[in-house]
Amino acid sequence: MKTVKQIQNEARDWLFGAAAPLWSTTGVLEDGMFAEALHHDGSIMRGPRRLRVQARQIYSFCEIGRLGWDGPWRKIVEDALPAFVSRGVSEEGVFIHTYDDKGDVSNKSLDLYNQAFGLFALAHAGNALSKPELFALAGTVMDRIDADWARPEGGYWEGVLTPCPPYRQNPHMHMFEAATALYRFTNDPRWGAIAGALSLLFRSKFHDRATGAVTEYFDQSWNPLNDETGSIVEPGHCLEWAWLFGTNAKSQDEIDTSDGLSAFARRYGLCGRRGVAINEVSLDGAVINNNARLWPQTERLKAAADSFRRQNAIDSEQEIIAAYEGLAKYLVTDIAGLWHDKMKPDGTFLDEPAPASSFYHIVCGLSELLQLEI
């Protein structure tokens, strides 16, 4: 088995030597915006551009720059910001949904997921570029969300793209991620309070304490739906929440919550034969969807890195290596720097372009790995 040092070197070589050069050139469009996907022959997939992808790529290049990549990450982010800020925020003061293939706004439909990633991008760009005006814009967007989207049951209205019910935990997880980033970079107590409220919502409503898992779908009062969908668990989301709680813990309860989420995912959500985290199981551990997206592999790596950082345990070190080796399967492509997104139960991959949206997951996962001191 490889050592953590060895996989750190492999990860750095792939990220700095292949992925960042490819996505900073071919993956950047003529107008400075980002491509939605690249075909496996290295060509651009043309079409509508989602705001969430623009936001995720802004974060990704900010983070790659912070990690020490010596490429033009700063110019890439600065060139992407005008369309993101000027056209990406509507006259109503919140983030849009999509641009067309020319970069003009094509769909202003409201969605909480887009608001979360818009705020997340403003946090990282504001910090990386030392632009406090981006933090101020985040505050202005949050003013509208607080005024128009806050729900008396806790959390936020989710917009019109995914009508409720069911109500979902997932966009709230990303709102928590954005709020913790903004609090870390600004030390503004407002963002700390938002993160705290979302942490409490998770622990009081989303979290199934009997199993340690997080379910996906709820009624208006945040009770799990009383049908088969109410017991759906995505191991990747268990691991993502585990990392968020582990790295932002303010209490022992949050640490215990993190460890319980990881334990459930590792017990029921891993396919030993393929060495990967699968898409869906039920609360009793039965497999619902045995396919395996790329992103749960990065969340597994993040949760393992956090566990090692807090506990310095040999089983966490072994889990880091296993998680990375699972992720590495997706990164074996004809053109280095691309990836596969969907693994089928037989271990082969769906033949489709490499989605830019996955770069955020990969960068965040490899960042946690690369920052480990072993």
Side-chain angles (χ1 to χ4, degrees):
M1 179 179 288
K2 296 176 182 177
T3 67
V4 173
K5 286 291 186 183
Q6 286 174 318
I7 65 172
Q8 284 177 320
N9 290 335
E10 286 185 16
R12 185 178 292 104
D13 288 346
W14 181 87
L15 183 61
F16 289 2
L22 178 63
W23 289 89
S24 65
T25 52
T26 306
V28 177
L29 302 170
E30 298 85 350
D31 56 7
M33 297 181 72
F34 299 104
E36 274 279 322
L38 296 180
H39 294 285
H40 281 271
D41 64 3
S43 61
I44 295 170
M45 188 186 82
R46 300 286 180 176
R49 311 169 189 175
R50 291 174 293 171
L51 178 126
R52 68 186 63 176
V53 170
Q54 303 302 308
R56 287 180 172 199
Q57 293 296 74
I58 286 170
Y59 155 78
S60 295
F61 282 104
C62 289
E63 184 65 7
I64 292 170
R66 190 184 71 83
L67 291 171
W69 182 54
D70 60 4
W73 67 269
R74 182 180 296 272
K75 184 179 187 304
I76 290 166
V77 174
E78 289 175 340
D79 288 349
L81 279 173
F84 180 71
V85 171
S86 64
R87 299 196 295 276
V89 179
S90 70
E91 310 85 63
E92 290 75 29
V94 290
F95 288 101
I96 64 158
H97 179 45
T98 57
Y99 309 82
D100 63 20
D101 192 30
K102 296 180 180 179
D104 296 322
V105 174
S106 61
N107 188 337
K108 297 181 182 180
S109 296
L110 300 177
D111 183 68
L112 185 61
Y113 202 86
N114 289 328
Q115 309 313 309
F117 276 105
L119 293 171
F120 186 67
L122 291 175
H124 284 274
N127 180 66
L129 302 178
S130 299
K131 288 183 176 291
E133 62 269 27
L134 298 180
F135 298 142
L137 178 58
T140 300
V141 172
M142 197 67 218
D143 288 343
R144 292 305 304 266
I145 295 173
D146 279 339
D148 300 337
W149 297 47
R151 296 180 52 223
E153 301 87 0
Y156 302 98
W157 176 61
E158 295 181 38
V160 299
L161 293 177
T162 46
C164 300
Y167 296 82
R168 301 170 299 156
Q169 64 79 20
N170 185 25
H172 291 81
M173 176 181 70
H174 291 298
M175 285 293 292
F176 178 71
E177 180 181 37
T180 56
L182 283 158
Y183 183 56
R184 181 167 71 254
F185 296 142
T186 67
N187 204 33
D188 184 338
R190 177 191 191 183
W191 298 111
I194 292 169
L198 289 167
S199 169
L200 180 60
L201 179 65
F202 177 93
R203 288 177 291 131
S204 62
K205 296 296 184 179
F206 301 160
H207 189 210
D208 184 81
R209 288 190 176 268
T211 63
V214 55
T215 53
E216 296 291 321
Y217 306 110
F218 301 84
D219 66 17
Q220 185 173 339
S221 298
W222 291 121
N223 299 309
L225 293 181
N226 191 25
D227 59 24
E228 64 275 7
T229 62
S231 67
I232 291 175
V233 177
E234 295 190 18
H237 283 155
C238 289
L239 295 162
E240 197 164 5
W241 273 111
W243 171 74
L244 285 166
F245 275 119
T247 55
N248 297 285
K250 301 293 189 297
S251 68
Q252 185 61 46
D253 184 57
E254 290 180 325
I255 292 173
D256 293 343
T257 297
S258 174
D259 291 340
L261 287 159
S262 288
F264 180 93
R266 290 174 63 180
R267 181 176 182 182
Y268 297 114
L270 303 183
C271 173
R273 177 177 55 83
R274 288 175 290 164
V276 295
I278 63 174
N279 287 355
E280 292 180 352
V281 299
S282 66
L283 277 172
D284 63 8
V287 173
I288 296 175
N289 183 338
N290 202 27
N291 294 298
R293 293 283 305 274
L294 180 152
W295 69 264
Q297 319 318 317
T298 67
E299 306 315 314
R300 181 186 179 190
L301 180 58
K302 288 157 60 177
D306 170 66
S307 179
F308 178 82
R309 191 178 289 113
R310 288 187 289 109
Q311 302 176 19
N312 198 28
I314 187 64
D315 64 327
S316 298
E317 188 170 349
Q318 293 169 345
E319 172 64 4
I320 289 167
I321 297 167
Y324 174 79
E325 290 183 339
L327 172 62
K329 298 175 190 293
Y330 295 74
L331 309 182
V332 179
T333 55
D334 291 339
I335 295 178
L338 295 175
W339 45 80
H340 301 287
D341 187 60
K342 299 180 181 72
M343 181 188 285
K344 295 182 284 188
D346 64 1
T348 62
F349 292 99
L350 196 65
D351 184 11
E352 60 181 353
S357 57
S358 295
F359 201 31
Y360 144 81
H361 290 288
I362 296 169
V363 169
C364 195
L366 296 187
S367 175
E368 290 298 297
L369 171 64
L370 294 176
Q371 293 177 89
L372 282 178
E373 297 181 2
I374 301 294

